[in-house]
Amino acid sequence: MRVDAILFDLDGTLIDSAPTISSILNGMRQELGKPPHNIQRYREWVSLGAEELIILALEVSGNQVTVLLEKFRTIYKKTPTPENTVNTGVTETLTTLLAADIRLAICSNKPTLLCEKILKETQLKQYFSYVVGGGATARPKPSRDPIDCALTAMKISHDRALLVGDSTVDQGAAKAAGIPFIFFTNGYNDGVIEELASASIGRINDLLMLDFFSDNTSATKLIKR
């Protein structure tokens, strides 16, 4: 398979946003008179979507969900992204892929403005041709819409692309779009069926060793050196 584009999930795959999210939501819990949750709980909830995250983290329902979700996002926008947010090996891997003329894009359910903020603050924005965040398409992952949107924008066909992610919504989106799914096992796994993934990697730089690049003659020399 010739790979011309790689689409990446953001939270749990390229960055570990759980510490920031847990800090914000535990602060909101304190305001509600509730004790803090352990960070592991937030790691289990991050991939479920923003509304579900608010429901579970703050134990609220109805109109409170909408109000507190907006408050959460407002605080998030004002919270600096810590330097250690980027997962190990990400920068080196993205640099190598770009040098091999492989286009890169983000496909996330996090609002686009938050994606852009985090990518800018972590110095990762320079690597990506396109960012598809929540709200950019009619349906979020696990719909194929974000993948279709990114590949259309980059003018790259589905048979020359793959998706790297850590959750069931990533796996579902890749399946719906008919592209290979590379499972990042050290992310926020919420029940990914690993045997159905095209490949599994424990570190982002393991991506460079996969056989998907075997048909990229010039790229292979850079990637598998």
Side-chain angles (χ1 to χ4, degrees), residues 8-16 87-88 90 163-167 170 181-190 192 194 197 199-207:
F8 288 92
D9 170 54
L10 186 59
D11 292 270
T13 302
L14 296 181
I15 66 166
D16 183 8
N87 286 332
T88 302
V90 167
L163 173 70
V164 182
D166 68 317
S167 70
D170 298 317
F181 170 62
I182 309 302
F183 175 36
F184 178 59
T185 60
N186 285 325
Y188 306 147
N189 181 9
D190 60 349
V192 169
E194 188 166 358
S200 296
I201 57 175
R203 303 176 304 168
I204 287 296
N205 44 315
D206 290 341
L207 181 64

Side-chain angles (χ1 to χ4, degrees), residues 6-186:
I6 299 179
L7 313 178
F8 288 92
D9 170 54
L10 186 59
D11 292 270
T13 302
L14 296 181
I15 66 166
D16 183 8
S17 57
T20 300
I21 290 171
S22 66
S23 176
I24 295 171
L25 289 174
N26 276 340
M28 293 174 69
R29 283 182 62 82
Q30 185 176 24
E31 291 179 359
L32 294 171
K34 299 177 180 181
H37 282 310
N38 185 283
I39 190 172
Q40 186 55 38
R41 303 294 297 276
Y42 292 106
R43 293 188 191 280
E44 295 170 358
W45 296 334
V46 167
S47 62
L48 301 179
E51 288 191 6
E52 189 68 15
L53 174 63
I54 294 298
I55 291 170
L56 293 171
L58 301 181
E59 302 168 66
V60 294
S61 60
N63 291 335
Q64 278 187 298
V65 177
T66 301
V67 173
L68 291 174
L69 174 56
E70 183 61 30
K71 180 177 180 179
F72 166 70
R73 286 176 170 166
T74 298
I75 297 172
Y76 205 157
K77 290 173 186 176
K78 297 177 181 179
T79 302
T81 306
E83 293 181 3
N84 62 353
T85 293
V86 180
N87 286 332
T88 302
V90 167
T91 301
E92 297 81 1
T93 300
L94 298 180
T95 299
T96 301
L97 292 172
L98 274 191
D101 293 325
I102 294 174
R103 303 282 297 283
L104 309 175
I106 292 291
C107 282
S108 172
N109 284 348
K110 183 187 289 291
T112 302
L113 285 177
L114 277 177
C115 289
E116 296 277 5
K117 168 191 179 293
I118 291 168
L119 290 171
K120 182 178 180 180
E121 292 178 346
T122 56
Q123 311 300 314
L124 294 180
K125 183 169 174 50
Q126 60 185 309
Y127 296 104
F128 296 98
S129 300
Y130 204 70
V131 176
V132 181
T137 57
R139 300 175 298 172
K141 297 179 299 183
S143 161
R144 64 180 289 163
D145 291 4
I147 292 174
D148 293 344
C149 180
L151 293 179
T152 297
M154 295 190 293
K155 299 181 181 180
I156 293 175
S157 62
H158 287 62
D159 61 352
R160 294 193 173 184
L162 54 84
L163 173 70
V164 182
D166 68 317
S167 70
T168 55
V169 297
D170 298 317
Q171 187 169 39
K175 180 180 179 181
I179 68 173
F181 170 62
I182 309 302
F183 175 36
F184 178 59
T185 60
N186 285 325

